[in-house]
Amino acid sequence: MRTRTTTATAAATLATAVALLLSGCGGSDGEDSGKDEIAGADTGASASASPSASASEDSVERPEIKLPSDVKNVFEDGETGDAVEDAVLADNERMINSIDEAITVDAEEHPALKFYSKGDALMAAASYVQSFYESGTTWTGSTRYYDREVALSGQSTATVTYCGDETKSYSKDRKTKEVKKTPGDSDDYVSYSARMKKSAEGVWQTTNVVSERGAEKCQP
């Protein structure tokens, strides 16, 4: 499981968290300049392009998303046969990857985070990411997303429901690089419901996300 601590300070300063993450994550303790391309680069891990939805077939100019080589998101049910639903799922993948990039990669900016999330979803994502920096942790391993379904409402609004399996993703200390491997349990299964809206540029941006950890419907 990806463990992190959400402090009272983080919960009370969402705006500050957003400002920090969108202008550059220097988050931990001031010893990091914020200019290292990858958190933990000294371990030999290198950045790799996101394996899912890494290329767009539309004309939208999208920010590149790169995750460290020891971080992987696996997305199932990515093709429905409907072009609009497939586009929604592709941007849902990019949203998830953009959050994990902000958690695992120390960079001066995280443009993908605000490109794929807006409003309440952006505030929640920023608070979630900042909690990792405040607790001095990141994560490593693989997370699987499955049972992904799209419900369209008109031409520009959709809801995506899906499950996440974190049994093979583990907490990692940002400084020591020590990985805390724990046996999987019911809390490693998370259900999500993401509300998405198509922007004028044609990007399906997430505006709100509701999640339930330990969701019975997502467990094997």
Side-chain angles (χ1 to χ4, degrees):
M1 181 192 300
R2 316 179 191 187
T3 57
R4 82 274 186 245
T5 303
T6 304
T7 65
T9 300
T13 57
L14 291 179
T16 301
V18 172
L20 282 171
L21 289 163
L22 300 188
S23 63
C25 254
S28 42
D29 57 7
E31 295 180 6
D32 193 325
S33 66
K35 296 183 179 180
D36 293 335
E37 186 176 355
I38 299 296
D42 55 321
T43 64
S46 59
S48 58
S50 166
S52 300
S54 58
S56 174
E57 296 180 358
D58 55 33
S59 59
V60 179
E61 189 172 334
R62 301 171 183 272
E64 185 178 23
I65 300 173
K66 288 187 176 183
L67 299 176
S69 60
D70 65 334
V71 172
K72 185 178 182 181
N73 287 329
V74 178
F75 298 94
E76 299 178 0
D77 315 307
E79 295 184 2
T80 66
D82 181 276
V84 177
E85 291 186 6
D86 288 352
V88 172
L89 287 174
D91 278 343
N92 172 254
E93 292 180 23
R94 295 180 179 109
M95 178 273 291
I96 293 169
N97 284 333
S98 73
I99 293 173
D100 286 333
E101 180 189 50
I103 292 171
T104 61
V105 177
D106 289 332
E108 291 187 353
E109 294 183 352
H110 291 95
L113 191 66
K114 61 179 177 180
F115 193 87
Y116 292 109
S117 296
K118 293 293 180 184
D120 291 344
L122 179 58
M123 297 288 278
S127 178
Y128 177 67
V129 173
Q130 188 67 13
S131 70
F132 280 87
Y133 282 86
E134 292 192 351
S135 63
T137 60
T138 179
W139 74 274
T140 185
S142 177
T143 304
R144 181 171 69 98
Y145 294 95
Y146 55 100
D147 288 351
R148 304 167 67 215
E149 297 182 357
V150 179
L152 295 172
S153 179
Q155 300 297 312
S156 61
T157 306
T159 299
V160 181
T161 56
Y162 53 102
C163 290
D165 174 2
E166 299 179 359
T167 56
K168 295 183 179 179
S169 60
Y170 309 103
S171 178
K172 179 180 178 181
D173 190 280
R174 298 193 89 89
K175 288 185 177 180
T176 67
K177 317 307 175 193
E178 180 182 357
V179 176
K180 183 180 180 181
K181 287 197 173 183
T182 55
D185 59 30
S186 60
D187 279 348
D188 287 313
Y189 297 93
V190 189
S191 70
Y192 298 89
S193 178
R195 198 159 48 218
M196 304 179 70
K197 186 174 180 62
K198 191 175 184 180
S199 71
E201 293 75 25
V203 180
W204 286 92
Q205 296 175 315
T206 301
T207 59
N208 183 268
V209 180
V210 176
S211 63
E212 179 189 354
R213 185 167 290 280
E216 187 173 346
K217 68 177 183 179
C218 293
Q219 299 179 34

